[in-house]
Amino acid sequence: MLSSIYGKLGRIDDAEIFCRRVLALQHDHGDTYINLGHIYSRRGNYEEALSNYKMAARYTPDSATAHFYIGNILNVQGQQEAAIENYQQAIRLSPTHADAHNNLGTTYLRRGNFNEAFSCYEKALDINPLYLTALNGLAQTCQSATQREKYLEYYRLAIARSPDPTEARSGFIKALRTIGPVKYVPWLDEELQKCFLIPDIEYKPLAFATAHLLKGKYGLEGKSNLSQKETQALTEQIGSDELFIMYMEKVINTDADLESLFITLRRTLLFKSNQIRTLSQQDARVIAALAFQCFNNEHIFVVDAEEEIRLADLKNAIQQQISGASIPSEYLEYMLFILGMYEDLHSVAWSGLIASLPIRAWSKQFRSYLELSLFNYLEEQQIKEDIETVGTIKDQTTQLVQSQYELNPYPRWLSISKKKKEKDNAKLLKSIIPHFNPPQFLKGPISVLIAGCGTGQQAIRAALAYRNAEITAIDISSSSLAYAIRMAHKYAVKNIKFMQGDILESAELKRRFHIIECGGVLHHMKDPLAGWKVLTGLLVKDGLMRIGLYSELARKLHYQEHRYTLPQLARTLNELNLEFIGFELKDIGIARLYREYFPEDKDMRDLALWDRFENLYPTSFMDMYNFWCKNGQKNRPVR
């Protein structure tokens, strides 16, 4: 139909005119009402869209398509029960309507009905094994080992049939955060290797599943005391295991069994390096991988007195080798990798000599390590000199926290998913908090403040996620900012302005923002309310805030930490005249459980009920309260 062509060309007004002409000639033409519904939906006029879809259903009662789109609009409006009824009607009319099965599954998922959602996604995948949205949804609903096995079967089928499985693998990587431990099977070993080879992806979600699989492969569960013979055998095996090497090089290990193994391997290989010229190829690969791993974890492993003595001898040997050298030798490279298992190369007094040697003379692998351990540091020192400041850092508590982060920028993240921007800003927020009706300003260019951006991961994610956005990112630590700026350059992110400054002085920015994100920062301040007040004053009318409070990790590490309860949070929001919009819940199981207890709170915004829930389940917000709020409205009191 001509109206559909106009719509695809973006000529929405012309499409509507054509539809009106058709209906003037034939008032009961169902497909035309559906096209009109699409037009109004694209304009964001959901009431008119729903009205036209209902007219289509009225005049063509056997149209599964009409009921499917009615369900979609009802979901947008937060009417999930009615949406479910319409999806079910669409399926009754067309049992092979894969989209209806998928969207019904997504609706059940949002309600926390995991088994029903799993069944719907299964049916969608039975109809279309390459339906990646359903595959990703299926992963989120896995609640048992049996369901995990089914998900992996569907995933394996999808990548086998897909001409380009990269998108499926990207979804699989995200799914590994939630599906739980996996058994060792050879195809999964090979598949994880392919996932590690995908460029511009965040590898962190691969860590848990890969660690569990490798422990199963080598029987390492709970095995901490290895004999010398077992250690040597494992070194040979690991040195030939591509997945193990990728794991060590590309993620930060958090598994206790593997940490114990790595400490043993490191010590053994350090002392074996006395006979460095007799190291096997497998030994050399493990040494290099351990150097990457120890850089990733910032050399957190304990070093004993005997290792300290051996390290001193090693440094002397390296200095003798490097002094006066014009090109590096393979022997020197091995020794530097061994040293890299214990400290960064930029920390040694003769790092300048390393940097002066011709870069192309090193092996490709060592060049990568040299970039991480030396050249990135040198680049960050140069970046520091040009960082713009806003205000001055006067507060004593802020200065103490600043000193901590100048010494130890946190977190030293390694990778991030550089994906295409598929959603506009309003849809992005709706995907996080479905019941919320986003303000109109999200349709145009927006300004975003990341207050306390640290090493830049949050700011870069925001720059990649928000459409048509100008990002301002401030932090107290020049070391953290230098790291952030370098990573922004690496990912070619150009719409962020990084500045050094205190949140308390951020009014000196002399501008207002549509969105302010401040996660894990306010509770480190001497007076969090004072900082929060300053930020609130920088919001536009109806401006939005994403706040993170109550960090368990920060409580153990920081000079300053404030803890919040939900009654305190509610009182603070009221004092700041901020409306609570909703929690950003990573664990959808918490949402399901909350709805079971308090079905009357359909929008899940009642902090009094959330307080009762948290007292029942104290670990619900173990890491942090992450929530959204809006400028300009009071909340229900919580006592």
Side-chain angles (χ1 to χ4, degrees):
M1 182 182 281
L2 190 58
S3 64
S4 298
I5 296 173
Y6 282 140
K8 290 177 181 177
L9 293 173
R11 296 169 59 182
I12 304 300
D13 293 339
D14 290 335
E16 182 181 1
I17 291 170
F18 184 81
C19 287
R20 297 298 180 194
R21 289 175 180 170
V22 172
L23 292 176
L25 297 172
Q26 185 180 350
H27 75 281
D28 61 350
H29 196 271
D31 287 344
T32 301
Y33 282 112
I34 287 176
N35 287 334
L36 268 177
H38 294 345
I39 290 166
Y40 282 114
S41 181
R42 289 183 66 176
R43 290 173 176 165
N45 190 339
Y46 297 121
E47 286 297 335
E48 285 296 327
L50 182 60
S51 176
N52 279 280
Y53 290 140
K54 286 184 175 179
M55 290 296 287
R58 174 184 173 187
Y59 289 120
T60 53
D62 59 346
S63 171
T65 302
H67 286 284
F68 170 73
Y69 285 115
I70 290 171
N72 289 350
I73 297 296
L74 291 170
N75 249 334
V76 170
Q77 295 178 330
Q79 302 182 56
Q80 293 181 341
E81 288 289 349
I84 288 171
E85 291 176 6
N86 277 274
Y87 289 139
Q88 289 174 336
Q89 179 63 7
I91 291 167
R92 281 192 288 268
L93 293 168
S94 178
T96 58
H97 198 308
D99 289 337
H101 286 292
N102 175 76
N103 288 17
L104 178 59
T106 300
T107 309
Y108 280 132
L109 179 61
R110 287 175 178 169
R111 292 166 60 88
N113 299 339
F114 295 123
N115 290 332
E116 292 87 342
F118 191 93
S119 177
C120 292
Y121 289 132
E122 267 195 304
K123 290 171 183 174
L125 288 165
D126 287 338
I127 297 165
N128 178 11
L130 294 180
Y131 200 153
L132 297 186
T133 303
L135 183 65
N136 295 337
L138 192 74
Q140 294 183 65
T141 65
C142 291
Q143 298 295 299
S144 66
T146 300
Q147 288 180 331
R148 286 196 294 271
E149 291 298 322
K150 284 187 177 181
Y151 163 70
L152 291 173
E153 289 173 12
Y154 282 113
Y155 171 72
R156 189 178 185 184
L157 182 62
I159 58 171
R161 294 190 179 184
S162 175
D164 181 9
T166 301
E167 186 179 353
R169 288 192 171 114
S170 297
F172 174 61
I173 291 170
K174 293 178 183 176
L176 289 175
R177 292 182 187 273
T178 58
I179 66 169
V182 293
K183 295 179 181 179
Y184 178 79
V185 286
W187 81 264
L188 189 54
D189 188 316
E190 295 174 7
E191 187 57 33
L192 287 170
Q193 292 179 46
K194 292 172 183 175
C195 290
F196 271 117
L197 292 173
I198 298 174
D200 295 327
I201 201 76
E202 185 176 358
Y203 300 117
K204 183 179 178 180
L206 291 166
F208 174 77
T210 305
H212 192 272
L213 182 140
L214 290 171
K215 289 202 300 180
K217 183 177 183 179
Y218 292 105
L220 296 172
E221 188 76 42
K223 196 169 185 178
S224 57
N225 297 318
L226 297 172
S227 67
Q228 185 175 354
K229 184 177 180 181
E230 288 175 317
T231 301
Q232 183 56 48
L234 267 174
T235 305
E236 295 297 314
Q237 290 173 310
I238 292 171
S240 302
D241 191 315
E242 294 300 326
L243 181 61
F244 222 134
I245 296 296
M246 288 177 176
Y247 175 82
M248 295 167 73
E249 291 182 349
K250 295 192 175 187
V251 300
I252 300 172
N253 172 65
T254 59
D255 182 89
D257 293 324
L258 291 185
E259 178 175 324
S260 177
L261 171 65
F262 293 160
I263 291 171
T264 301
L265 290 176
R266 185 179 73 160
R267 192 178 193 281
T268 299
L269 290 166
L270 171 66
F271 285 98
K272 189 176 180 181
S273 67
N274 283 320
Q275 299 84 34
I276 195 167
R277 296 187 188 278
T278 64
L279 285 174
S280 69
Q281 183 178 359
Q282 287 76 18
D283 288 338
R285 288 195 77 194
V286 174
I287 288 169
L290 278 171
F292 279 97
Q293 176 58 211
C294 292
F295 172 84
N296 295 347
N297 68 30
E298 301 184 54
H299 303 281
I300 62 170
F301 299 157
V302 174
V303 182
D304 65 31
E306 290 182 336
E307 287 174 292
E308 292 282 9
I309 294 170
R310 174 60 192 133
L311 280 172
D313 293 340
L314 178 66
K315 288 179 182 179
N316 289 332
I318 293 173
Q319 190 169 8
Q320 291 175 12
Q321 279 281 320
I322 206 169
S323 296
S326 58
I327 58 171
S329 64
E330 184 180 31
Y331 178 57
L332 176 61
E333 184 173 302
Y334 278 158
M335 288 197 293
L336 288 172
F337 261 138
I338 292 166
L339 177 61
M341 296 190 299
Y342 287 87
E343 59 186 87
D344 292 335
L345 297 186
H346 69 74
S347 66
V348 295
W350 29 265
S351 60
L353 294 176
I354 303 173
S356 68
L357 295 175
I359 186 69
R360 291 292 174 188
W362 302 101
S363 70
K364 183 178 179 181
Q365 185 184 35
F366 190 75
R367 289 201 300 270
S368 297
Y369 178 71
L370 204 57
E371 180 181 0
L372 289 175
S373 189
L374 177 57
F375 293 144
N376 284 347
Y377 172 82
L378 296 177
E379 181 183 350
E380 288 166 19
Q381 299 314 299
Q382 291 182 325
I383 289 171
K384 279 185 183 183
E385 297 176 6
D386 298 319
I387 295 175
E388 187 176 345
T389 60
V390 53
T392 56
I393 301 174
K394 305 170 187 174
D395 181 78
Q396 186 176 7
T397 301
T398 303
Q399 290 172 350
L400 286 171
V401 177
Q402 178 190 20
S403 66
Q404 176 179 323
Y405 282 132
E406 292 293 5
L407 293 173
N408 300 291
Y410 178 85
R412 288 184 182 271
W413 54 284
L414 306 176
S415 57
I416 199 169
S417 295
K418 189 178 179 182
K419 59 185 178 182
K420 295 180 180 179
K421 299 176 182 179
E422 301 172 350
K423 297 178 179 178
D424 62 34
N425 299 321
K427 288 183 178 178
L428 177 65
L429 192 55
K430 288 285 288 185
S431 69
I432 298 170
I433 305 177
H435 70 264
F436 181 58
N437 188 21
Q440 290 297 309
F441 62 65
L442 290 178
K443 294 182 178 180
I446 62 170
S447 56
V448 180
L449 173 64
I450 310 296
C453 66
T455 49
Q457 190 172 36
Q458 182 183 5
I460 293 173
R461 277 181 175 154
L464 295 172
Y466 293 125
R467 281 187 174 179
N468 203 6
E470 178 187 349
I471 313 288
T472 301
I474 64 172
D475 197 80
I476 56 176
S477 165
S478 62
S479 295
S480 295
L481 286 165
Y483 191 100
I485 293 169
R486 180 178 61 76
M487 294 299 275
H489 291 164
K490 175 182 176 180
Y491 287 97
V493 174
K494 300 178 180 180
N495 58 327
I496 307 178
K497 182 177 184 179
F498 290 98
M499 304 177 74
Q500 185 178 17
D502 187 355
I503 286 175
L504 292 170
E505 302 295 321
S506 55
E508 293 296 318
L509 291 168
K510 299 187 185 304
R511 60 178 302 185
R512 292 183 179 272
F513 299 89
H514 298 96
I515 298 175
I516 296 177
E517 295 192 13
C518 187
V521 179
L522 290 172
H523 49 221
H524 301 323
M525 302 177 71
K526 182 178 181 180
D527 184 355
L529 183 59
W532 204 347
K533 280 181 178 178
V534 173
L535 294 179
T536 303
L538 301 181
L539 282 173
V540 302
K541 181 182 178 182
D542 295 329
L544 304 173
M545 273 189 169
R546 180 184 182 274
I547 300 293
L549 298 169
Y550 200 32
S551 168
E552 293 293 326
L553 177 62
R555 210 181 352 257
K556 296 175 183 176
L557 298 178
H558 278 267
Y559 291 106
Q560 183 70 26
E561 176 64 31
H562 287 270
R563 305 168 182 84
Y564 279 82
T565 64
L566 287 175
Q568 289 172 332
L569 177 58
R571 288 193 292 271
T572 302
L573 289 169
N574 280 336
E575 184 172 347
L576 295 172
N577 199 30
L578 293 170
E579 176 188 357
F580 178 74
I581 296 172
F583 288 112
E584 190 172 310
L585 299 170
K586 292 182 180 179
D587 184 353
I588 55 179
I590 292 176
R592 175 186 59 79
L593 196 58
Y594 178 83
R595 286 194 182 98
E596 288 180 3
Y597 275 89
F598 306 110
E600 68 273 23
D601 183 17
K602 294 182 179 180
D603 291 343
M604 303 177 67
R605 297 173 59 191
D606 191 325
L607 287 172
L609 296 181
W610 272 110
D611 182 48
R612 290 168 59 187
F613 180 83
E614 188 179 20
N615 277 282
L616 291 170
Y617 297 95
T619 60
S620 298
F621 301 97
M622 183 175 292
D623 294 326
M624 196 178 293
Y625 296 128
N626 284 306
F627 61 93
W628 287 81
C629 50
K630 187 177 78 170
N631 193 12
Q633 190 168 337
K634 299 281 186 180
N635 305 277
R636 174 184 170 185
V638 181
R639 293 181 174 82

